[in-house]
Amino acid sequence: MKITVIGTGYVGLVTGACLADMGNDVLCLDVDAGKVQRLRDGIIPIYEPGLEGIVRRNADAGRLRFTTDPQESVRFGEIQMIAVGTPPGEDGSADLQYVLAAASTIAQHMDEYRLVVDKSTVPVGTADRVEARIREVLQQRGVDIEFSVASNPEFLKEGAAVDDFLKPDRIVLGVSDERAEALLRELYQPFQRNHERTIVMGRRSAELTKYAANAMLATRISFMNDLARLAERVGVDIEDVRRGIGSDSRIGYSFLYAGTGYGGSCFPKDVQALQRTAQEHGAPLRVLRAVEDVNNDQKSTLVRKASDRFGSLSGRRFALWGLAFKPNTDDMREAPARTIMEALWAAGASVVAYDPIAADECRRIYGDRPDLVLAASPLEAVRGADALMIATEWKEFRSPSFDEMRDRLKHPVIFDGRNLYDPALVRGKGFEYFSVGRS
């Protein structure tokens, strides 16, 4: 099948590459000429395990190409997938200007049937707006061309996006006509040979399903972080509680880890956008308001613990392990590490940070500043620091040399925002150990 993907960001590039890997011919459109040239040269703009190999393999095979020419892209694929950004507006709503601009581009250049698919995460009713925009442009052109609009939200985890696309839990198809459903079923058939994973529903239901999924996961995280505050007060280990409730098959273990809060490009933005949609329709989501409040507060928990331990933080130096919002990505959008660093700087402290992937992204965000040093290794970061803070659960942090750490730290103090270590073991190594939800 011939597919056009509009947008080569996180969703667009993963989608295009994985569809090409199944033998489809894929053309990716982007307005950024520099980015398109870098992709043609095999330079991948994001870090995602396995993505670089898939892009290069399919580009070399001629199944995956990149262009800045909208006419070429619209006339290439019978299926036109919109995977552009939907950044939050000042009021928290999703900004649809790029989605609607893509719809206009398709309508301006199409000369035969096209299936337009929303891959971007968008509010309920966006497919209706895309359909209206296409009809409007076609009327302005004075032509009557058949088309369909569908919603096909992505459910990709950063750090595991390639596996998620190639081995999906479910494939949600929001459609309003049989032709669109048939085309999408054909497209996704190679991804569900073991068993049927397709869930067909209306377009609005598909749009809400995506938001609801992310909101539910965010709710689980904030619930555990709120519970962790109580656990600390009453002398309970939140890890024991996690295991106790996670063993219930109705609950499960996923997204029940207390920590420094959620971040990234999806959960914060989607929770806000869903709340905005609810407010606009007179049905405010009070639970999500609490979810967001808890999360915003939780990002500062390590700094509060450091203030309780040291008093004034002015002039102190803190080692920080982890900058990305989660492992296996360089994404620092809404990362707890950013809140931690900015709070430390505001208190007059300095930071020596280490992250195996996100150092360049950190340098891009903050530039050169005297109160930030990016270390080349975890042990280099702790040398001479007053204490260590852990913000991201990278695997290489799980079993460090505690003896070397203790020797290099000015004070043997660890503030563990991811509960990586056994408190008794670490204290037995001579450390003061402060974690989340474990008194």
Side-chain angles (χ1 to χ4, degrees), residues 376-389:
S377 71
L379 287 176
E380 180 183 318
V382 301
R383 186 186 299 276
D386 287 282
L388 166 65
M389 293 185 176

Side-chain angles (χ1 to χ4, degrees), residues 22 109 112 146 151 165 172 227 244 255 258 273 299 305 326 342 346 363:
M22 289 294 147
H109 297 288
E112 58 182 325
E146 185 183 358
S151 175
F165 198 102
V172 172
L227 205 60
F255 290 85
K299 290 182 179 182
K305 291 175 184 290
K326 64 182 289 188
E342 290 165 11
R363 193 175 292 111

Side-chain angles (χ1 to χ4, degrees), residues 292-312:
E292 188 176 19
D293 288 344
V294 169
N295 190 64
N296 290 338
D297 180 72
Q298 194 68 12
K299 290 182 179 182
S300 300
T301 187
L302 295 190
V303 178
R304 288 195 295 269
K305 291 175 184 290
S307 296
D308 291 342
R309 166 60 178 79
F310 289 109
S312 173

Side-chain angles (χ1 to χ4, degrees), residues 3 22 50 129 137 166 185 220 246 305 317 336-337 345 424 435:
I3 301 125
M22 289 294 147
R129 295 181 63 182
V137 175
L166 296 176
R185 283 187 178 277
R220 288 169 68 99
K305 291 175 184 290
R317 177 178 177 179
W345 294 332
S435 52

